[in-house]
Amino acid sequence: MIASRGWAKSALGLVLTGLMLFPVYWMINVSLTRDQDMRKSPPYLWPSNGTLEGYRAVLEQQGPYLVTSLVIGLGTVALTLVIAAPAAYSLAKLRPKGGGALSFVLLIAQMIPGIIMAMGFYAIFLSTGVLNTVPGLIVADSTLAVPFAVLVLTTFMSGIPEELMQAARVDGAGAMRTFWSVVLPVSRNSIITVSLFAFLWAWSDFIFASTLDQGGDHQPITLGIYHYIGNNNQQWNAIMATAVVASIPATALLVIAQRYVAAGVTAGAVKD
C-alpha cells in the first residue's frame, strides 16, 4: 500500500511537471518550425521538418541586445555586491546604531512597485543626463537587488562564529582586513546567491528598460523581444527563437549555481 502511494505521488509529480514545462517545450518546437507549417491544423507536436532560420535571424538581429543585457547584468551584480556586502557586514558584525531601523527600511523598499521607482528615476535621469544609457539602467536595476542582497548577506554573516572574528583581531586584522580576508571567503554561498538573483532581475527587467531606455543606442534583450514582436508578428519561429536564446543564460546560471543558491538561501536560518 505504501509503495503504491509512493508511485502514485511520483506519477502525479511527473504529470504536473510535464504540464508546467509544456509551454517551454512548445516555445522550442515553434522556434524550429518552418513558416509554411506554422498554421497547420492540427499543429505539429514536434518539428518534423525543422529549420534553424529563426535562430539565424536572432543571431543577426538580436545580438546587440543580448550583449547589452549581458553588460547590464554583470554591471548590476558588481554594483550590488560593492554596496551590499560592506553594508551587510556592518549590520551583522559592527552593529551600528539604527541598524534595526535600516533593516526594516530595506524590507519596506522591496515592497515599492517598480513602476513608481521607474517614474522617479525618469525625472532624476532626465535632469542628470543619464537617461537612455546603460549606466542608468545598471543603477536602476541595482535598486531592486541591493535591499534583497543586504538582507540575505546580513542573515548569513550573523551566523559566522565570533571566535573566527576574534582570531582575526588577535592576528592584528582591522575591520576592513577581517571583512576582506575572513568574512567574504566564508560568505561565498550567499554572495553567489545574491549575484545570481541580481543578474536575473537585470536580465529580465522590462519596466526600467521601457521607461528609462526607450530611445537609447544600446537596449536590453527585453526591449529587443518587444520590438521584434511588433516588427515581425508573422515570423513566430524567429520570435520564439529569440525567447529561447534569451532564456539560455538564465537557465545555465541556475543549473550551475543551484547548489550554492540552496545553501545561500538557507544559511543562517538554523543555528547549531
Side-chain angles (χ1 to χ4, degrees):
M1 180 65 70
I2 297 178
S4 61
R5 288 180 180 176
W7 280 106
K9 291 180 180 179
S10 299
L12 179 60
L14 289 174
V15 171
L16 293 177
T17 301
L19 290 175
M20 288 187 292
L21 293 180
F22 182 77
V24 178
Y25 166 75
W26 197 250
M27 178 177 66
I28 298 174
N29 178 38
V30 174
S31 71
L32 297 172
T33 302
R34 299 181 303 177
D35 289 335
Q36 57 267 35
D37 296 333
M38 199 68 64
R39 299 186 183 278
K40 290 283 186 179
S41 182
Y44 290 133
L45 296 179
W46 58 85
S48 57
N49 299 310
T51 178
L52 295 176
E53 288 300 323
Y55 289 93
R56 293 192 185 98
V58 169
L59 295 178
E60 293 175 1
Q61 302 173 24
Q62 298 292 326
Y65 294 102
L66 290 168
V67 173
T68 300
S69 282
L70 183 61
V71 172
I72 293 173
L74 295 177
T76 300
V77 170
L79 183 59
T80 298
L81 292 180
V82 167
I83 297 175
Y89 171 65
S90 176
L91 291 174
K93 294 301 181 183
L94 303 183
R95 298 180 177 86
K97 292 183 178 180
L102 178 59
S103 298
F104 181 74
V105 170
L106 292 173
L107 185 62
I108 295 297
Q110 293 184 290
M111 303 178 185
I112 301 176
I115 188 61
I116 295 178
M117 298 178 63
M119 297 308 298
F121 275 123
Y122 184 88
I124 297 173
F125 287 0
L126 184 63
S127 60
T128 55
V130 293
L131 192 66
N132 299 324
T133 64
V134 171
L137 278 183
I138 292 175
V139 171
D141 289 332
S142 297
T143 59
L144 297 176
V146 167
F148 171 81
V150 171
L151 293 175
V152 171
L153 291 173
T154 300
T155 301
F156 183 90
M157 292 178 183
S158 296
I160 296 177
E162 287 297 328
E163 291 81 3
L164 191 61
M165 310 293 294
Q166 293 173 3
R169 297 190 192 101
V170 170
D171 290 338
M176 287 305 299
R177 179 62 183 274
T178 302
F179 167 70
W180 184 261
S181 300
V182 177
V183 175
L184 284 183
V186 173
S187 306
R188 180 190 63 177
N189 290 342
S190 58
I191 289 175
I192 293 176
T193 299
V194 299
S195 298
L196 178 62
F197 278 98
F199 182 86
L200 294 179
W201 281 330
W203 184 268
S204 60
D205 168 65
F206 180 77
I207 293 179
F208 286 152
S210 60
T211 306
L212 306 176
D213 196 26
Q214 274 283 18
D217 296 329
H218 304 285
Q219 297 181 348
I221 188 60
T222 49
L223 286 185
I225 296 175
Y226 178 72
H227 297 323
Y228 206 53
I229 292 175
N231 296 331
N232 302 275
N233 55 9
Q234 300 300 318
Q235 300 178 4
W236 281 104
N237 56 353
I239 293 173
M240 291 301 175
T242 303
V244 171
V245 172
S247 303
I248 290 175
T251 304
L253 287 175
L254 284 172
V255 171
I256 294 172
Q258 59 179 338
R259 65 189 184 95
Y260 300 105
V261 172
V265 169
T266 57
V270 179
K271 294 186 178 180
D272 295 334

